[in-house]
Amino acid sequence: MTDPDLNLLIALDALLAEGSVAGAARRLGLSASAMSRTLARLREATADPLLVRAGRRMVPTPHAQALRQRVRDAAREARAVLNPPTADLDISALRRTFTIRANDGFVEAFGARLIAAAAAAAPGVRLRFAAKAEKTATPLREGAVDLEIGVLSQMGPEVRVQALFRDRFVGAARKGHPLEAEPAVTAGQYVAFGHVVASRRGRADGPVDIALAAMGLERAVAAVVPSFSAALAVARGSDLIALVPASFLGVQQERSEPARAGIFAFELPVQTEKITVSQMWHPRLGADPGHQWLRQLVLDVCREGVQ
């Protein structure tokens, strides 16, 4: 028989996805030496080096780059053919790694509960959280992530969306801050103190500033940091006020105590629109039983956490 070994297709998909022999070996549960031999066979079969050394890392050749999407699609289709969806999937026996793309706020607010719930139902499942450097549907389309969690933006018409919960922003300051004694913080009191803003893009303004401007007021932003955790750390050690999602603090209702040591939360003195946090996925995973279980798990954990 002259037909190629289709196992090489799965190996090539892993090599191109990981960009290294060691990474591909871990993904496929092989030894590094076995993966090296497989790469040698792939090079012989394709008559191309595929991955070449560039300093301390390996980079794909032009031919490998041209093959990347075709290989990914072919490998996914092969898996679908050989492992057809079944309604009686045994979740407790499932062995799979799900990659979830979410910002640090979601991971800190829900990550521990989600991991615990997944481990209780499916000990063989691993959750891998990936950072959101930018809002784009590319990781979903390319299969680099299984699920995206966040506020819906232009993700493309094919992406499926399910709302998880509604969130709002609240003010946060250190325990003992002068504003803690106020029964309700006024707009004038709010702008009387400096502010620390969390923004991955380095922006210092947002909807709160628009609402304040309509009242003829303006915040004095003393610092911009890349995450809500960093904003709370700054607020905890100063008189600066942070602006964070209520879910990030574990604040479920007005005047409830935040689940963060050394921090008190207060309702903003201006009206801003609530935000809807959703989970998004590519339609090719819509009927996958394991993915359906994951989506239901995320939904249950989120809704339980914000009740």
Side-chain angles (χ1 to χ4, degrees):
M1 295 178 64
T2 58
D3 289 340
D5 180 357
L6 293 183
N7 286 321
L8 294 178
L9 180 66
I10 304 301
L12 180 57
D13 181 44
L15 282 163
L16 295 181
E18 296 290 340
S20 75
V21 170
R26 285 193 299 270
R27 174 181 285 210
L28 298 181
L30 300 174
S31 66
S33 59
M35 199 71 237
S36 294
R37 291 194 297 272
T38 301
L39 176 57
R41 292 179 61 198
L42 281 164
R43 285 167 170 168
E44 181 180 358
T46 61
D48 188 86
L50 297 174
L51 290 174
V52 295
R53 181 113 1 226
R56 300 181 64 182
R57 62 191 184 94
M58 301 188 80
V59 297
T61 64
H63 181 59
Q65 289 179 321
L67 288 177
R68 189 192 302 267
Q69 189 59 49
R70 291 173 58 195
V71 169
R72 181 177 292 122
D73 292 342
R76 185 179 298 118
E77 185 64 21
R79 290 188 179 98
V81 169
L82 297 175
N83 297 283
T86 173
D88 58 353
L89 174 68
D90 182 3
I91 292 299
S92 65
L94 182 64
R95 298 188 63 82
R96 187 167 169 181
T97 296
F98 291 105
T99 300
I100 302 173
R101 192 167 179 255
N103 62 30
D104 67 314
F106 178 86
V107 177
E108 291 202 29
F110 299 98
R113 278 175 286 179
L114 185 57
I115 293 166
V125 164
R126 174 186 298 167
L127 300 183
R128 178 168 56 194
F129 291 95
K132 295 179 66 170
E134 57 183 351
K135 291 185 177 181
T136 173
T138 300
L140 287 176
R141 290 195 181 106
E142 294 185 348
V145 302
D146 298 290
L147 202 62
E148 171 114 10
I149 296 177
V151 179
L152 179 65
S153 58
Q154 297 176 349
M155 297 294 287
E158 81 278 21
V159 173
R160 302 293 185 258
V161 180
Q162 181 182 39
L164 295 173
F165 60 92
R166 298 266 283 171
D167 208 349
R168 71 189 191 282
F169 280 93
V170 296
R174 64 172 176 82
K175 283 283 190 180
H177 191 283
L179 289 182
E180 189 175 15
E182 300 296 333
V185 175
T186 67
Q189 292 168 334
Y190 183 66
V191 299
F193 292 89
H195 293 256
V196 53
V197 173
S199 172
R200 293 194 310 271
R201 299 179 180 85
R203 292 189 56 180
D205 59 343
V208 168
D209 300 283
I210 296 174
L212 287 170
M215 303 171 66
L217 298 173
E218 181 180 4
R219 288 190 301 172
V221 177
V224 179
V225 295
S227 68
F228 296 127
S229 294
L232 286 185
V234 171
R236 190 179 286 111
S238 69
D239 277 344
L240 296 180
I241 298 171
L243 184 70
V244 298
S247 63
F248 187 66
L249 285 176
V251 175
Q252 299 174 3
Q253 299 174 346
E254 291 186 14
R255 300 185 181 279
S256 61
E257 189 72 13
R260 296 273 175 168
I263 290 291
F264 88 94
F266 59 89
E267 297 299 317
L268 297 175
V270 293
Q271 290 292 324
T272 59
E273 288 188 11
K274 287 191 174 183
I275 55 178
T276 299
V277 178
S278 303
Q279 58 179 342
M280 293 155 271
W281 65 93
H282 195 275
R284 67 172 169 271
L285 293 172
D288 179 88
H291 199 273
Q292 289 176 337
W293 167 79
L294 174 67
R295 299 197 304 265
Q296 187 61 49
L297 185 75
V298 171
L299 180 65
D300 292 343
V301 167
C302 287
R303 292 192 173 173
E304 179 183 351
V306 296
Q307 285 179 354

Coordinates of all heavy atoms in Angstrom, one line a residue, residues 186-232:
T186 N -21.5 60.4 47.1 CA -22.0 61.4 46.1 C -21.0 61.6 45.0 O -19.8 61.2 45.1 CB -22.3 62.7 46.7 OG1 -21.1 63.4 47.1 CG2 -23.2 62.6 47.9
A187 N -21.4 62.1 43.9 CA -20.5 62.4 42.7 C -19.4 63.3 43.1 O -18.2 63.1 42.7 CB -21.3 63.0 41.6
G188 N -19.7 64.3 44.0 CA -18.7 65.3 44.4 C -17.6 64.6 45.3 O -16.4 64.8 45.1
Q189 N -18.1 63.7 46.2 CA -17.2 63.0 47.0 C -16.3 62.0 46.2 O -15.1 61.8 46.4 CB -17.9 62.2 48.1 CG -18.6 63.1 49.1 CD -19.6 62.3 50.0 OE1 -20.2 61.3 49.6 NE2 -19.8 62.8 51.2
Y190 N -16.9 61.4 45.2 CA -16.3 60.4 44.3 C -15.1 61.1 43.6 O -14.0 60.5 43.5 CB -17.3 59.9 43.3 CG -16.7 58.8 42.4 CD1 -16.3 57.6 42.9 CD2 -16.7 59.0 41.0 CE1 -15.9 56.6 42.1 CE2 -16.2 58.0 40.2 CZ -15.8 56.8 40.7 OH -15.4 55.8 39.9
V191 N -15.3 62.3 43.0 CA -14.2 62.9 42.3 C -13.2 63.7 43.2 O -12.2 64.2 42.7 CB -14.8 63.9 41.2 CG1 -15.6 63.1 40.2 CG2 -15.5 65.0 41.8
A192 N -13.5 63.8 44.5 CA -12.6 64.5 45.4 C -11.3 63.7 45.6 O -10.3 64.2 46.1 CB -13.3 64.8 46.7
F193 N -11.3 62.4 45.3 CA -10.2 61.5 45.5 C -9.6 61.1 44.2 O -10.2 61.1 43.1 CB -10.5 60.3 46.3 CG -10.9 60.6 47.7 CD1 -12.2 60.9 48.1 CD2 -10.0 60.6 48.7 CE1 -12.6 61.2 49.4 CE2 -10.3 60.8 50.0 CZ -11.6 61.2 50.4
G194 N -8.3 60.7 44.2 CA -7.7 60.2 43.0 C -8.1 58.8 42.6 O -8.7 58.1 43.5
H195 N -7.9 58.4 41.4 CA -8.4 57.1 40.9 C -7.3 56.3 40.3 O -6.4 56.9 39.7 CB -9.6 57.4 39.9 CG -10.8 58.0 40.6 ND1 -11.9 57.3 40.9 CD2 -11.0 59.3 41.0 CE1 -12.8 58.1 41.4 NE2 -12.3 59.3 41.5
V196 N -7.5 55.0 40.3 CA -6.6 54.1 39.6 C -7.5 53.3 38.7 O -8.6 52.8 39.1 CB -5.8 53.1 40.6 CG1 -6.8 52.4 41.5 CG2 -5.0 52.1 39.7
V197 N -7.1 53.2 37.4 CA -8.0 52.6 36.3 C -7.3 51.4 35.8 O -6.1 51.4 35.6 CB -8.2 53.6 35.2 CG1 -8.9 53.0 34.0 CG2 -9.0 54.8 35.7
A198 N -8.1 50.3 35.6 CA -7.6 49.1 35.0 C -7.9 49.0 33.6 O -9.1 49.2 33.2 CB -8.2 47.9 35.7
S199 N -6.9 48.9 32.7 CA -7.1 48.9 31.3 C -6.0 48.1 30.6 O -4.8 48.5 30.8 CB -7.3 50.3 30.7 OG -7.3 50.3 29.3
R200 N -6.3 47.1 29.8 CA -5.2 46.4 29.1 C -4.7 47.3 28.0 O -3.5 47.1 27.6 CB -5.8 45.1 28.5 CG -6.2 44.0 29.4 CD -6.5 42.7 28.7 NE -7.3 42.8 27.5 CZ -8.6 42.7 27.6 NH1 -9.2 42.5 28.7 NH2 -9.3 42.8 26.4
R201 N -5.5 48.2 27.5 CA -5.0 49.0 26.4 C -4.4 50.4 26.9 O -4.0 51.2 26.1 CB -6.1 49.3 25.5 CG -6.7 48.1 24.8 CD -7.9 48.4 23.9 NE -8.4 47.2 23.2 CZ -9.3 46.4 23.8 NH1 -9.8 46.7 25.0 NH2 -9.7 45.4 23.1
G202 N -4.4 50.6 28.2 CA -3.8 51.8 28.8 C -4.7 53.0 28.7 O -4.3 54.1 28.9
R203 N -6.0 52.8 28.5 CA -7.0 53.9 28.5 C -7.3 54.3 29.9 O -7.5 53.5 30.8 CB -8.3 53.5 27.7 CG -8.1 53.2 26.3 CD -9.5 53.0 25.6 NE -10.3 54.2 25.8 CZ -11.6 54.3 25.3 NH1 -12.1 53.3 24.6 NH2 -12.3 55.3 25.6
A204 N -7.5 55.6 30.0 CA -7.8 56.2 31.4 C -9.2 56.6 31.5 O -9.7 56.9 32.6 CB -6.9 57.4 31.6
D205 N -10.0 56.6 30.4 CA -11.4 57.0 30.5 C -12.3 55.9 30.1 O -11.9 54.9 29.6 CB -11.6 58.3 29.6 CG -11.3 58.0 28.1 OD1 -10.6 57.0 27.9 OD2 -11.7 58.7 27.3
G206 N -13.6 56.1 30.4 CA -14.6 55.1 30.1 C -16.0 55.7 30.3 O -16.2 56.9 30.5
P207 N -17.0 54.8 30.4 CA -18.4 55.3 30.6 C -18.6 56.1 31.9 O -19.5 57.0 31.9 CB -19.2 53.9 30.7 CG -18.4 53.0 29.9 CD -16.9 53.4 30.2
V208 N -17.9 55.8 32.9 CA -18.1 56.6 34.2 C -17.7 58.1 33.9 O -18.3 59.0 34.4 CB -17.2 56.0 35.3 CG1 -17.1 57.0 36.5 CG2 -17.8 54.7 35.8
D209 N -16.6 58.3 33.1 CA -16.2 59.6 32.9 C -17.2 60.4 32.0 O -17.4 61.6 32.2 CB -14.8 59.6 32.2 CG -13.8 58.9 33.0 OD1 -13.3 59.5 34.0 OD2 -13.5 57.7 32.8
I210 N -17.8 59.7 31.1 CA -18.9 60.3 30.3 C -20.0 60.8 31.1 O -20.5 61.9 31.0 CB -19.4 59.3 29.2 CG1 -18.2 59.0 28.2 CG2 -20.5 59.9 28.4 CD1 -18.6 57.9 27.2
A211 N -20.4 59.9 32.1 CA -21.5 60.2 33.0 C -21.1 61.4 33.9 O -22.0 62.3 34.2 CB -21.9 59.0 33.8
L212 N -19.9 61.4 34.4 CA -19.5 62.5 35.2 C -19.4 63.8 34.4 O -19.7 64.9 34.9 CB -18.1 62.2 35.8 CG -18.0 61.1 36.9 CD1 -16.6 60.7 37.2 CD2 -18.7 61.6 38.2
A213 N -18.9 63.7 33.2 CA -18.8 64.9 32.3 C -20.2 65.6 32.1 O -20.3 66.8 32.1 CB -18.2 64.6 31.0
A214 N -21.2 64.8 32.1 CA -22.6 65.3 31.9 C -23.0 66.1 33.1 O -23.9 67.0 33.0 CB -23.6 64.2 31.6
M215 N -22.3 65.9 34.2 CA -22.6 66.6 35.5 C -21.6 67.7 35.7 O -21.6 68.4 36.8 CB -22.6 65.6 36.7 CG -23.5 64.5 36.5 SD -23.3 63.2 37.8 CE -23.7 64.1 39.3
G216 N -20.7 67.9 34.7 CA -19.7 68.9 34.9 C -18.5 68.5 35.8 O -17.8 69.4 36.3
L217 N -18.3 67.2 36.0 CA -17.3 66.7 36.9 C -16.3 65.9 36.1 O -16.6 65.4 35.0 CB -17.9 65.9 38.0 CG -18.9 66.6 38.9 CD1 -19.6 65.6 39.9 CD2 -18.2 67.7 39.7
E218 N -15.1 65.7 36.7 CA -14.1 64.9 36.1 C -13.3 64.2 37.2 O -12.9 64.8 38.2 CB -13.2 65.8 35.3 CG -12.1 65.1 34.5 CD -11.2 66.1 33.7 OE1 -11.4 67.3 33.8 OE2 -10.3 65.6 33.0
R219 N -12.9 62.9 36.9 CA -12.1 62.2 37.8 C -10.6 62.6 37.6 O -10.2 62.9 36.5 CB -12.2 60.7 37.5 CG -13.4 60.0 37.9 CD -13.3 58.5 37.8 NE -12.9 58.0 36.5 CZ -12.6 56.7 36.2 NH1 -12.6 55.8 37.2 NH2 -12.4 56.4 35.0
A220 N -9.8 62.5 38.7 CA -8.4 62.7 38.5 C -7.7 61.3 38.6 O -7.6 60.7 39.6 CB -7.8 63.6 39.7
V221 N -7.4 60.8 37.4 CA -6.8 59.5 37.3 C -5.3 59.6 37.6 O -4.5 60.2 36.8 CB -7.1 58.9 35.9 CG1 -6.4 57.5 35.8 CG2 -8.6 58.7 35.7
A222 N -4.9 59.0 38.6 CA -3.5 59.0 39.0 C -2.6 57.9 38.4 O -1.4 58.0 38.3 CB -3.4 59.0 40.6
A223 N -3.3 56.8 38.1 CA -2.5 55.7 37.6 C -3.4 54.8 36.7 O -4.6 54.7 36.9 CB -2.0 54.8 38.7
V224 N -2.8 54.2 35.7 CA -3.5 53.2 34.9 C -2.7 51.9 35.0 O -1.5 51.9 34.7 CB -3.6 53.6 33.4 CG1 -4.3 52.6 32.5 CG2 -4.3 55.0 33.3
V225 N -3.4 50.8 35.3 CA -2.7 49.5 35.5 C -3.4 48.5 34.6 O -4.5 48.7 34.1 CB -2.8 49.0 37.0 CG1 -2.0 50.0 37.9 CG2 -4.2 48.9 37.4
P226 N -2.7 47.3 34.3 CA -3.2 46.4 33.3 C -4.3 45.5 33.7 O -4.9 44.7 32.9 CB -2.0 45.6 32.9 CG -1.1 45.7 34.1 CD -1.4 47.0 34.7
S227 N -4.6 45.4 35.0 CA -5.6 44.4 35.5 C -6.4 44.9 36.7 O -5.9 45.8 37.4 CB -4.9 43.1 35.8 OG -4.1 43.2 37.0
F228 N -7.5 44.3 37.0 CA -8.3 44.6 38.2 C -7.6 44.2 39.4 O -7.7 45.0 40.4 CB -9.7 43.9 38.1 CG -10.5 44.3 37.0 CD1 -11.1 43.4 36.1 CD2 -10.8 45.7 36.7 CE1 -11.9 43.8 35.0 CE2 -11.6 46.1 35.7 CZ -12.1 45.1 34.8
S229 N -6.8 43.2 39.4 CA -6.0 42.8 40.6 C -5.0 43.8 41.0 O -4.9 44.2 42.1 CB -5.3 41.4 40.3 OG -6.2 40.4 40.2
A230 N -4.4 44.4 39.9 CA -3.4 45.4 40.2 C -4.1 46.7 40.7 O -3.6 47.4 41.6 CB -2.6 45.7 38.9
A231 N -5.3 47.0 40.2 CA -6.0 48.2 40.6 C -6.4 48.0 42.1 O -6.2 49.0 42.9 CB -7.2 48.4 39.8
L232 N -6.8 46.9 42.5 CA -7.2 46.6 43.9 C -5.9 46.7 44.8 O -6.0 47.2 45.9 CB -7.8 45.3 44.1 CG -9.3 45.2 43.6 CD1 -9.8 43.8 44.0 CD2 -10.2 46.3 44.2

